[in-house]
Amino acid sequence: DEVHQLRVLDLCCAPGLKLCMLADLAPPSSSAVGVDISQNRIQLCKNIIKKYHVNQMTSGSKVDESNDKASSSHSTIRLYCTDGTNFGTK
């Protein structure tokens, strides 16, 4: 069976539990993108991902803001602090 990669978008992603669940349910090598307009809420989301995410490879490299890539057998979580009403329209 061929496994498709997904790109999942979670607008107003804080506090982050739904984003973690989406990343866990997505096939390997997929990406989950979390968007929130508040920097404080993005920080909360980062903390939740670090604390509760079952597989640190999924969220660790993006949340820790290092340049390492996550393993291709896991989903990647990316967070953006921006206005979600026009995210991805440019």
Side-chain angles (χ1 to χ4, degrees):
D1 284 330
E2 183 178 322
V3 178
H4 297 284
Q5 294 178 355
L6 295 178
R7 292 180 289 163
V8 181
L9 176 61
D10 182 6
L11 295 173
C12 301
C13 64
L17 296 172
K18 178 178 49 183
L19 186 61
C20 288
M21 181 196 67
L22 291 170
D24 280 340
L25 293 174
S29 301
S30 295
S31 62
V33 176
V35 178
D36 206 290
I37 197 167
S38 166
Q39 185 61 45
N40 290 338
R41 292 177 59 82
I42 286 291
Q43 188 58 48
L44 175 63
C45 194
K46 287 180 182 182
N47 293 340
I48 294 291
I49 291 169
K50 285 180 186 178
K51 184 173 182 179
Y52 292 109
H53 208 276
V54 175
N55 185 340
Q56 286 298 313
M57 285 300 295
T58 303
S59 60
S61 67
K62 295 300 176 190
V63 172
D64 291 339
E65 298 174 358
S66 71
N67 290 328
D68 297 333
K69 296 286 184 186
S71 168
S72 63
S73 64
H74 301 94
S75 298
T76 301
I77 295 176
R78 292 186 176 93
L79 297 172
Y80 295 93
C81 184
T82 188
D83 182 358
T85 59
N86 57 17
F87 183 79
T89 59
K90 296 180 181 179

